[in-house]
C-alpha cells in the first residue's frame, strides 16, 4: 500500500536480458509496489505463447532488460490508493501498461494500435515472476467456472475475439476451417463454433494430442494431408489461419470458397511467400486483429460466462519458473497444447 519503491524486496523473474537472439534467463528484479490506481498480482499462472518464442528469437520488439510473460492470471494481493476494491479478487489483466489515451487509435477505443503503447512482458515487466504490477483499469475478474491456471488464457482468447468478433466473422450454417490446432487455433475454432459455424481444424501428424483435444470440444479434426477431401462443396465459407506457417496459410487460401472470409490470426514472425493473387481471383474478404481491446475482453467475459468457450482443457502442462527452458522448448516443438509457468511452484 506504500507509494514508494524503496526497500523493494527482490523476486525472481524470467528476463529478456538484451537484444539479439536468446539472452533469456532467470534473474532478480525488485518486487514492485503499487502506486495510485495500480495493483500487485500474485501470479497463479502465465502462459507461454508464440510471442514469447519470437521475443526469445528477437523477432518481436522488446525493451530489455524486461520480465517476459503477458498471458497472466493471479490474485490481487496489494492495491495502491484508489484500487482497494480489487484486493483479493482473482483476475486476468489486459496487457497494456501504458497507452497515450490521446491519439486517434486510443480515442477510438483501439489502445492496441496506439503508437506509444507499452505492454507487459515486452516493454514493462510481465508475468513470468512471482508478482506483477498492473493498472487497475486493465483488470478483469476471472469467471468462477475457469480454473486457477486457465485464467491465463483470457489474454489469447481476447486476441482471438479481436480477430473474429464485433462484427462476427461467421454466421449460423457456415462451414469454417481453422489451420493450426495450437491454443490460438482451438480458441479460434471455439469462437467460430459459438458464432454458429461447423468447424474443421487441421494439423500435422505431430499435432495428434491437440487434434484429440479439439475433437473433445466438438470440433472436426483433420490431418493437413487429408484436407483436400474435407473441403465442403466449393470451399469453406470462412478460413482462419492460426498456424503462422507459410504452408498452412497457402493451404487455407486454397481451401476457401470464392467470396469467402479469410482471417489471419497467427503471426509468422518473418516475411513469407504466399500467392496473394488468390485474394483477388477469389474476391476474398481478408481481415485480422492485433492484440486486444477493452471491447474484445468484454466479449471474452460473455463467451466464458455463457459456456460457449471453455479454457481448462487447453492447459496441458504447468511447471515452475525454474523449468522454463524445457517448457519453452516443448512449446517450440508443439509438444503439449498450452504450457504454463506457475511461480508458486518455485517456492
Ligand atoms: Zn500471447
Ligand atoms: Zn494512444
Amino acid at each position: 500500500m506504500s507509494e514508494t519503491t524503496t526497500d523493494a524486496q527482490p523476486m525472481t523473474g524470467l528476463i529478456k536480458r538484451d537484444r539479439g537472439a536468446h539472452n533469456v534467463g532467470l534473474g532478480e528484479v525488485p518486487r514492485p509496489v503499487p502506486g495510485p490506481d495500480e495493483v500487485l498480482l500474485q501470479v497463479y499462472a502465465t502462459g507461454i505463447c508464440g510471442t514469447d518464442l519470437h521475443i526469445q528469437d528477437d523477432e518481436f520488439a522488446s525493451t530489455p532488460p524486461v520480465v517476459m510473460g503477458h498471458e497472466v492470471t493471479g490474485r490481487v494481493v496489494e492495491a495502491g490508493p484508489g484500487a482497494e476494491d480489487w484486493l483479493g479478487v482473482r483476475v486476468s489483466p489486459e496487457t497494456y501498461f501504458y497507452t497515450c489515451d490521446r491519439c486517434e487509435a486510443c480515442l477510438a477505443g483501439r489502445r492496441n494500435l496506439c503508437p506509444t503503447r507499452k505492454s507487459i512482458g515486452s516493454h514493462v515487466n510481465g508475468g513470468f515472476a512471482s508478482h506483477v504490477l498492473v493498472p487497475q483499469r486493465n483488470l478483469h475478474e476471472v469467471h468462477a467456472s475457469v480454473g486457477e491456471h486457465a485464467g491465463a488464457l483470457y489474454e489469447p482468447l481476447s486476441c482471438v475475439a479481436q480477430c473474429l468478433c464485433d462484427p462476427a466473422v461467421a454466421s449460423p450454417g457456415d462451414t469454417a476451417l481453422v489451420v493450426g490446432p495450437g491454443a490460438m487455433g482451438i480458441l479460434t475454432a471455439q469462437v467460430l463454433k459459438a458464432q454458429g459455424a461447423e468447424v474443421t481444424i487441421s494439423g500435422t501428424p505431430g499435432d495428434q494430442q491437440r487434434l484429440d483435444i479439439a475433437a473433445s470440444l466438438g470440433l472436426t479434426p483433420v490431418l493437413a494431408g487429408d484436407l483436400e477431401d474435407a473441403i465442403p462443396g466449393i470451399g469453406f465459407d470462412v478460413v482462419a489461419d492460426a498456424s503462422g506457417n507459410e504452408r498452412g496459410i497457402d493451404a487455407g487460401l486454397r481451401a476457401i470458397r470464392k467470396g469467402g472470409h479469410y482471417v489471419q490470426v497467427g503471426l509468422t514472425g518473418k516475411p513469407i511467400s504466399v500467392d496473394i493473387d488468390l485474394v483477388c481471383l477469389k474476391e476474398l474478404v481478408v481481415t485480422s486483429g492485433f492484440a486486444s481491446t477493452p471491447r474484445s475482453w468484454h466479449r471474452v467475459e460473455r463467451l466464458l460466462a455463457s459456456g460457449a468457450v471453455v479454457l481448462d482443457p487447453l492447459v496441458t502442462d504447468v511447471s515452475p519458473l525454474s523449468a522454463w527452458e524445457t517448457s519453452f522448448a516443448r512449446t517450440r516443438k508443439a509438444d503439449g497444447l498450452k504450457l504454463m509457468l506457475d511461480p508458486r511452484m518455485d517456492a
Side-chain angles (χ1 to χ4, degrees):
M1 297 269 211
S2 147
E3 289 167 83
T4 66
T5 51
T6 51
D7 65 66
Q9 303 164 253
M11 62 177 186
T12 300
L14 180 62
I15 299 170
K16 173 77 177 175
R17 295 198 189 98
D18 207 345
R19 294 305 309 264
H22 305 291
N23 291 326
V24 171
L26 294 177
E28 291 214 327
V29 291
R31 179 173 141 172
V33 176
D37 297 315
E38 293 176 344
V39 301
L40 188 72
L41 308 190
Q42 181 190 10
V43 175
Y44 284 1
T46 299
I48 301 167
C49 154
T51 304
D52 295 309
L53 303 179
H54 288 309
I55 290 173
Q56 188 183 28
D57 295 344
D58 216 36
E59 293 174 347
F60 187 91
S62 65
T63 43
V66 66
V67 175
M68 296 166 63
H70 58 276
E71 300 180 358
V72 186
T73 187
R75 195 173 292 282
V76 176
V77 291
E78 284 178 38
E84 295 88 349
D85 286 353
W86 285 101
L87 273 172
V89 180
R90 188 161 69 97
V91 297
S92 181
E94 292 178 41
T95 53
Y96 313 127
F97 192 90
Y98 173 83
T99 49
C100 78
D101 298 335
R102 288 189 299 272
C103 72
E104 203 174 314
C106 282
L107 292 175
R110 303 173 78 177
R111 297 174 67 202
N112 57 324
L113 301 180
C114 176
T116 55
R117 173 179 88 107
K118 290 186 174 63
S119 297
I120 59 169
S122 48
H123 301 287
V124 178
N125 284 343
F128 289 135
S130 64
H131 294 78
V132 62
L133 184 76
V134 291
Q136 69 163 337
R137 70 168 173 172
N138 290 9
L139 298 177
H140 295 266
E141 182 168 5
V142 173
H143 194 264
S145 64
V146 176
E148 245 184 24
H149 295 120
L153 284 160
Y154 270 59
E155 195 276 337
L157 180 57
S158 71
C159 297
V160 164
Q162 178 68 9
C163 288
L164 299 176
C165 304
D166 303 296
V169 161
S171 306
D174 276 351
T175 56
L177 169 69
V178 175
V179 180
M184 291 299 270
I186 292 183
L187 294 173
T188 296
Q190 288 192 75
V191 172
L192 289 171
K193 185 164 177 278
Q195 291 176 348
E198 196 179 300
V199 186
T200 299
I201 183 164
S202 69
T204 63
D207 290 322
Q208 200 52 54
Q209 181 195 8
R210 297 168 163 212
L211 292 171
D212 289 346
I213 292 170
S216 76
L217 297 172
L219 309 165
T220 304
V222 65
L223 288 173
D226 301 331
L227 180 58
E228 201 108 338
D229 298 327
I231 297 175
I234 57 168
F236 289 95
D237 299 302
V238 175
V239 169
D241 175 71
S243 72
N245 173 281
E246 184 174 302
R247 292 228 310 260
I249 292 169
D250 181 71
L253 287 171
R254 290 178 197 288
I256 194 168
R257 72 163 166 83
K258 290 180 177 173
H261 190 145
Y262 177 87
V263 188
Q264 187 61 40
V265 178
L267 290 175
T268 62
K270 54 186 177 297
I272 58 159
S273 167
V274 292
D275 186 359
I276 207 76
D277 281 357
L278 290 170
V279 173
C280 306
L281 297 173
K282 293 190 172 190
E283 283 199 347
L284 301 180
V285 172
V286 179
T287 58
S288 188
F290 175 60
S292 59
T293 58
R295 189 181 192 186
S296 69
W297 280 78
H298 290 299
R299 176 67 63 182
V300 163
E301 290 182 339
R302 292 194 292 274
L303 285 167
L304 293 170
S306 71
V309 174
V310 293
L311 300 178
D312 282 72
L314 279 68
V315 184
T316 51
D317 300 84
V318 182
S319 310
L321 284 179
S322 57
W324 75 270
E325 219 163 348
T326 309
S327 295
F328 269 52
R330 288 187 56 203
T331 300
R332 203 177 279 279
K333 286 188 298 188
D335 174 11
L337 183 45
K338 178 54 84 172
L339 287 80
M340 294 191 174
L341 301 180
D342 177 351
R344 295 174 302 177
M345 296 168 73
D346 291 280

